[in-house]
Each structure stands twice: as C-alpha cells, then as structure tokens.
Amino acid sequence: MAITSAARQAADALGEEILGYEGDEEEWPLGSEEQLMEALGIGRPTLRQAARLLEQQQLLVVRRGVRGGLFGRRPTDEGVTANARVFLRAQHTTFAHLLAAELILGPACAGLAAKNPDEAARRGLLAFYDNGWAAGGEVPVRRFMELSTAFQREIGRLSESPVLHLYVGVLMDLASHAGGISDVYEDEERRRATVIRHIGVAEAIAAGRESLAVRRMTAHLQGIIAWSEERALRSTLEPSRHT
C-alpha cells in the first residue's frame, strides 16, 4: 500500500494521542471511522492508511461490526522482540553479537536493580530457583530456559530503567530462541551452574550490594562466553530445538 504524506501526518497525530493516554486499560476506544475522520479532517482512504501504519506499530486495533471502531493499545515487548528478531536475522546477527550486548546491559541492570528501594521486590528474585536444582535436582532444559529468561527480565524490570528493561528483554528472548544457546546448555551441569550463579546475583541484589551484583553478573555472562564453542558463537538466530 502506498502511504501518502497526509496519512503519515494523521498517523503521527493519532499516535501521539494514543501514547499520551493515561488510563490503565490495555485497549481503549478511540472512536468510529466517521468520528476520527471528522476529528482529523481527513477522508476514509487516508484514515485507513494511517490506521495501517499504527497497526504495524502495535498502537492501534481496528475492529469491525456493530461494536467496532478504532482502538488504541499499549505495544508489548513481545511485539518489539518479534520485529527485532526479523531485523537482526536479516543482518546475519550471531549468538556472539547477542552475548556481547548482554555483557554490557546485564551488569548495568544488576547494579541498578541492587539500588532499587523496594527491598521486598529485590528479595523476590530469590524465589526464582526455589526448586532444589542447585542442590542436585534434575534441571529440565525447557523449564530452565523459561526461568532463566524470566530471571533476567525481572532484573531488567527492577533496574527501573524502561530502556534497559526493554533491551534486556529483547536480548533474552532472542538468545533463548537461538540455536547457540542450545549448544551451551545441552550439558545439565552447566544448567545447574547457571542456577547457582543466578542465585548469587539474586543474593547480591537482595542485599542491595551494587558492586557485587555487577561483578557476579559480569562473571556469569563471561562464563557463558567461555562455555560457547566457536561454532555456537558464529551461529545465527536460527530457532533453537528447545523452543
């Protein structure tokens, strides 16, 4: 679809209205096509082009029928990740690229998380691996990947930096779906060692020890790089057999 400049201007105006919404709903009505055409001073074809742009940005949903209309929505990090995965695969991004980025962002998140004033939230990290894995219990791959990814995302959230939270979440999702991570964690002892390292990071964050949290997260990520064979580091973001 060819997008006119009028449609882009309308999309910008409507997008700003959506982004400025202060309600709690995940989706909310913006109005019917007729109402928005009148408010924006545009025709139906231009509005539909603008709506298509905003749908691609995950800011808008179009519903047909009696209760239909245009609805604003909050974009999700899953949608951002999906777009990022397509872009990075097209750039031939490797597992090594992801690890290098996480080595920068992960320790920064850990340090900020340790400074989070909500002690109860910080201590919540300790509950992620309350399952006996560190003591020698079986560590199933799929469940490990789910918790490991969620653990890093939670640290990103505790950093109270929306930017770091988003980018770490994207990196974690991409890494968990990459074939390189399958090679790293095929060995159960490595999965158990990672649990122990994560618990160490969680303890430092829970105690509010910023520098220790940074050091432990850095050591953990450097350990993943050391475990990774050259073939795994060169692998692109092909789907993991564990996803």
Side-chain angles (χ1 to χ4, degrees):
M1 177 185 296
I3 303 298
T4 65
S5 60
R8 294 186 185 280
Q9 291 175 0
D12 288 344
L14 194 53
E16 286 300 314
E17 179 181 336
I18 294 169
L19 291 171
Y21 182 70
E22 297 182 353
D24 296 328
E25 299 89 346
E26 293 301 314
E27 291 186 8
W28 60 95
L30 298 172
S32 66
E33 284 192 341
E34 287 71 18
Q35 289 171 327
L36 291 174
M37 286 161 51
E38 181 178 354
L40 295 169
I42 57 177
R44 195 179 306 275
T46 300
L47 176 62
R48 290 185 173 178
Q49 288 181 344
R52 179 57 177 161
L53 285 172
L54 293 171
E55 283 181 306
Q56 292 175 348
Q57 297 172 23
Q58 297 190 47
L59 290 174
L60 182 142
V61 176
V62 177
R63 302 197 187 283
R64 306 299 179 187
V66 177
R67 298 180 180 274
L70 281 71
F71 293 78
R73 62 168 295 187
R74 299 183 190 282
T76 63
D77 57 354
E78 289 86 356
V80 174
T81 299
N83 289 330
R85 185 184 299 116
V86 171
F87 174 80
L88 292 175
R89 286 194 66 177
Q91 299 299 313
H92 307 295
T93 301
T94 65
F95 186 48
H97 290 136
L98 295 184
L99 288 176
E102 179 60 13
L103 191 56
I104 296 171
L105 301 182
C109 279
L112 289 173
K115 296 168 64 176
N116 189 308
D118 188 341
E119 182 178 355
R122 297 200 317 268
R123 294 192 61 81
L125 282 173
L126 298 171
F128 264 80
Y129 295 106
D130 185 18
N131 46 34
W133 289 355
E138 181 183 358
V139 188
V141 179
R142 186 178 296 277
R143 183 58 178 153
F144 165 80
M145 293 303 302
E146 291 173 353
L147 285 179
S148 178
T149 300
F151 178 81
Q152 296 285 7
R153 283 178 178 273
E154 180 63 8
I155 291 177
R157 188 186 71 80
L158 288 174
S159 75
E160 296 192 308
S161 167
V163 176
L164 287 175
H165 184 199
L166 171 63
Y167 285 122
V168 166
V170 168
L171 287 174
M172 287 299 98
D173 186 82
L174 292 173
S176 68
H177 288 85
I181 202 72
S182 299
D183 295 329
V184 169
Y185 287 120
E186 197 66 38
D187 184 342
E188 184 174 359
E189 288 306 311
R190 288 180 176 176
R191 300 197 294 272
R192 184 171 292 109
T194 296
V195 170
I196 293 172
R197 291 174 181 174
H198 279 185
I199 292 173
V201 172
E203 290 173 343
I205 291 174
R209 300 181 63 182
E210 178 186 0
S211 60
L212 181 60
V214 170
R215 290 199 305 273
R216 287 182 174 177
M217 179 62 81
T218 301
H220 161 58
L221 295 170
Q222 288 173 335
I224 296 177
I225 295 173
W227 282 339
S228 303
E229 298 179 0
E230 187 63 28
R231 178 179 62 83
L233 290 171
R234 292 198 309 269
S235 67
T236 55
L237 305 182
E238 299 295 330
S240 166
R241 55 184 173 274
H242 296 303
T243 60

